[in-house]
Amino acid sequence: MWFMRQAGRYQPTYRALRQQYNFMDLATDPSLCVDVTCRPVEDLGVDAAILFSDIMVPLAPMGVNFTIQESIGPVIANPIRSMRDVLALGSVTPERDLPYVLDAVHGIVERLGPIPLIGFAGGPFTLASYMIEGGPSKNYLYTKRMMWTAPDVWAALMTALVDVVSTHLTAQVKAGAGAVQIFDSWIGSLAPEDYEQWVLPYMAEIFRRLAPLAVPRIYFGVGTGSLLELMVSAGPDVLGIDWRVPLIDARRRIGPHIALQGNLDPARVTAGYDAVVGPTQALLGSMRGDPSYIFNLGHGVLPMTDALVLKQLVDLVHREGKRGDAL
Ligand code: 1CP
């Protein structure tokens, strides 16, 4: 078990650090990054770390000019809207352009010993949506309009992103990450036929390129109830889903040959431990004897979460897991 966003604002220690440093300071200073990544593992007792970074970080050396703004997220000064914009993007060599990420991976792996580190990147659709919209979006209008009305620009952008995502993840694994997760958080905004035509071929190419690394490849998105089978056909080893689909239904739909990850509603954890126990036991019970299952929330830990309740949840899952030992 581990939590998406297990390092973040719900931690008093993280909030204190953010008084002194902005987000990118933390992500680009290897010793701070090691500390922020390892803290939740040491405090909560989860079974894996996830690199403290952001999906936008590898886009900086391409020339994407962004800031991470408080309670908004990434905001981009020069949104990508034309072929000229796409052609102006640089390529990324992680060892040259993102040395701080790889230094942090080395430091984390050394500090954590046997506990695995999960490296990550954004999915090309989700990255493209920030690049094209210029920030978080509700309807993804510029993104969808590019897909439908400028397919050559879309293909050029997605092809460039396939390269960045694949090389960035490969470099993280070579530096010591033991698994990777692709956060394609916003693909749930797409109709299945649009996902299949405009996103799936690029995702399949990424998973093909990562296969020789022989580490588990996790694929996660939000609101993906109508996309599960298509996501599996992209070729991941693990499918991460949110709380809107019961895991047991997902298992029936995707068959036994892929691991599942999820999916307690993160809002539950903000409602106190009493609101967490029953649903967690039910979730674990539904997955008892499952061929391959990783406990997580259905999306990231929310900032208003009580760190103590999260710790109690970790202990509960570990206790129940031992009791069910087939878990
Ligand atoms: O100032 C702050 O402290 C900002 C909050 C914050 C944090 C803690 C942002 C801004 N990013 C992060 C870290 C982060 N981002 C991690 C750390 C590792 C961990 O999980 O512990 C990860 C994996 C991400 C990945 C990320 N960034 C995603 C995919 C995961 C998801 O939540 O769906 C997305 C969509 C982003 C964009 C982003 N960065 C930050 C915010 C607030 C957002 C979301 C904005 C939006 O709603 O569109």
Side-chain angles (χ1 to χ4, degrees):
M1 69 169 303
W2 62 284
F3 298 120
M4 294 181 274
R5 290 279 166 94
Q6 60 192 20
R9 289 193 170 274
Y10 78 93
Q11 296 172 295
T13 48
Y14 180 84
R15 287 197 302 270
L17 262 182
R18 286 280 285 103
Q19 300 284 322
Q20 276 184 68
Y21 302 101
N22 69 33
F23 180 88
M24 286 304 283
D25 292 337
L26 295 179
T28 57
D29 178 315
S31 93
L32 290 171
C33 182
V34 169
D35 221 51
V36 173
T37 301
C38 295
R39 189 56 75 85
V41 178
E42 290 157 0
D43 290 352
L44 296 173
V46 288
D47 303 319
I50 175 147
L51 177 68
F52 182 80
S53 187
D54 194 80
I55 57 171
M56 301 304 289
V57 166
L59 305 185
M62 293 179 97
V64 177
N65 203 342
F66 67 87
T67 54
I68 303 275
Q69 293 189 11
E70 182 120 24
S71 57
I72 300 177
V75 175
I76 288 123
N78 49 342
I80 305 293
R81 299 279 167 86
S82 67
M83 189 60 102
R84 186 149 39 102
D85 298 335
V86 176
L87 293 176
L89 295 170
S91 66
V92 179
T93 303
E95 293 75 9
R96 181 192 66 202
D97 301 321
L98 301 159
Y100 43 86
V101 174
L102 305 180
D103 289 347
V105 170
H106 284 123
I108 294 160
V109 169
E110 194 177 287
R111 175 150 149 192
L112 291 179
I115 296 171
L117 171 69
I118 302 168
F120 77 90
F125 174 82
T126 297
L127 292 171
S129 80
Y130 286 104
M131 294 165 89
I132 298 166
E133 303 294 333
S137 175
K138 229 182 149 104
N139 295 315
Y140 306 95
L141 290 183
Y142 287 98
T143 309
K144 292 184 179 184
R145 276 153 57 182
M146 182 190 287
M147 233 165 57
W148 293 327
T149 67
D152 54 331
V153 182
W154 179 256
L157 177 57
M158 292 295 274
T159 301
L161 289 171
V162 166
D163 282 340
V164 181
V165 169
S166 309
T167 55
H168 189 43
L169 290 173
T170 300
Q172 291 175 57
V173 172
K174 294 207 160 132
V180 292
Q181 173 155 318
I182 296 182
F183 285 91
D184 217 353
S185 301
W186 311 138
I187 46 172
S189 63
L190 292 171
E193 58 271 28
D194 282 322
Y195 177 83
E196 185 168 18
Q197 180 172 0
W198 304 106
V199 179
L200 178 59
Y202 303 101
M203 279 309 309
E205 176 61 20
I206 290 172
F207 286 122
R208 259 196 301 280
R209 292 193 197 179
L210 298 176
L213 300 171
V215 296
R217 298 159 300 165
I218 312 168
Y219 189 25
F220 168 79
V222 178
T224 55
S226 62
L227 302 177
L228 301 186
E229 293 83 354
L230 290 169
M231 290 172 77
V232 166
S233 75
D237 304 296
V238 185
L239 185 67
I241 61 179
D242 77 14
W243 59 94
R244 294 172 182 88
V245 179
L247 282 182
I248 191 161
D249 292 350
R251 174 58 78 204
R252 265 188 227 114
R253 284 168 56 185
I254 66 176
H257 300 301
I258 179 167
L260 271 170
Q261 174 178 281
N263 73 346
L264 189 74
D265 186 339
R268 279 262 168 212
V269 197
T270 71
Y273 188 61
D274 289 346
V276 162
V277 179
T280 302
Q281 285 172 331
L283 177 55
L284 294 172
S286 77
M287 296 307 280
R288 192 147 279 150
D290 192 86
S292 190
Y293 169 52
I294 302 164
F295 181 90
N296 206 315
L297 303 179
H299 200 178
V301 178
L302 294 165
M304 53 293 279
T305 300
D306 180 342
L308 181 63
V309 176
L310 204 58
K311 166 89 183 110
Q312 290 173 310
L313 172 57
V314 174
D315 295 342
L316 173 67
V317 173
H318 281 154
R319 242 182 2 253
E320 294 280 318
K322 277 202 191 79
R323 205 161 64 75
D325 48 32
L327 265 182

